[in-house]
Amino acid sequence: IPIENILVISDDLNIPFGTLRLRKNGSAGGHNGLTNINELLGSQNYARIRVGIGNEFSRGQQIGYVLGELSKEEKEEMPEVSKRVIEGVKAWATIGADRAMNVVNTRPQPKSEA
């Protein structure tokens, strides 16, 4: 598979929960999974969608946070987050990374109070 046809989806502690970031390439930024992918591909020049999971954990508790349960609020928001990730994948595949970044790299809209 040509590297320009690879899109990786990963979590990211440095982005607020539910926020998405599409990039055409970049460093692993301390993410062990991306570090491993970089090593396997021998390159950082692949597209990735980073899905924000926030960083609501105490010092040294990163693993427990990443592998732990979602909060009630996060569980309620996940269908919408998943929908936006799927839309991002479709945009990347159909209109290209540059234009897809304009679609994906927006802040999630807060739910209006009814």
Side-chain angles (χ1 to χ4, degrees):
I1 299 173
I3 200 162
E4 61 270 11
N5 292 342
I6 295 174
L7 176 64
V8 171
I9 302 169
S10 69
D11 60 358
D12 195 313
L13 289 168
N14 297 313
I15 301 174
F17 181 86
T19 300
L20 307 181
R21 290 290 176 258
L22 171 61
R23 299 286 184 259
K24 293 192 297 187
N25 55 45
S27 72
H31 192 289
N32 292 335
L34 293 178
T35 298
N36 182 251
I37 292 169
N38 292 352
E39 291 171 1
L40 292 170
L41 294 176
S43 176
Q44 299 179 49
N45 295 324
Y46 56 89
R48 74 271 326 259
I49 294 178
R50 300 175 357 207
V51 182
I53 61 171
N55 57 2
E56 302 293 323
F57 57 90
S58 304
R59 184 180 173 116
Q61 301 301 312
Q62 178 177 345
I63 292 172
Y65 178 74
V66 171
L67 299 177
E69 291 287 321
L70 296 173
S71 71
K72 179 183 176 194
E73 294 80 18
E74 290 169 338
K75 286 179 184 178
E76 290 173 359
E77 291 180 42
M78 278 309 296
E80 181 61 29
V81 172
S82 298
K83 178 181 171 187
R84 290 183 20 251
V85 171
I86 292 167
E87 290 170 356
V89 171
K90 288 179 181 178
W92 174 81
T94 58
I95 62 175
D98 290 320
R99 289 178 57 202
M101 285 190 287
N102 292 326
V103 174
V104 175
N105 296 343
T106 59
R107 289 186 130 345
Q109 298 299 317
K111 292 182 180 180
S112 60
E113 300 291 327

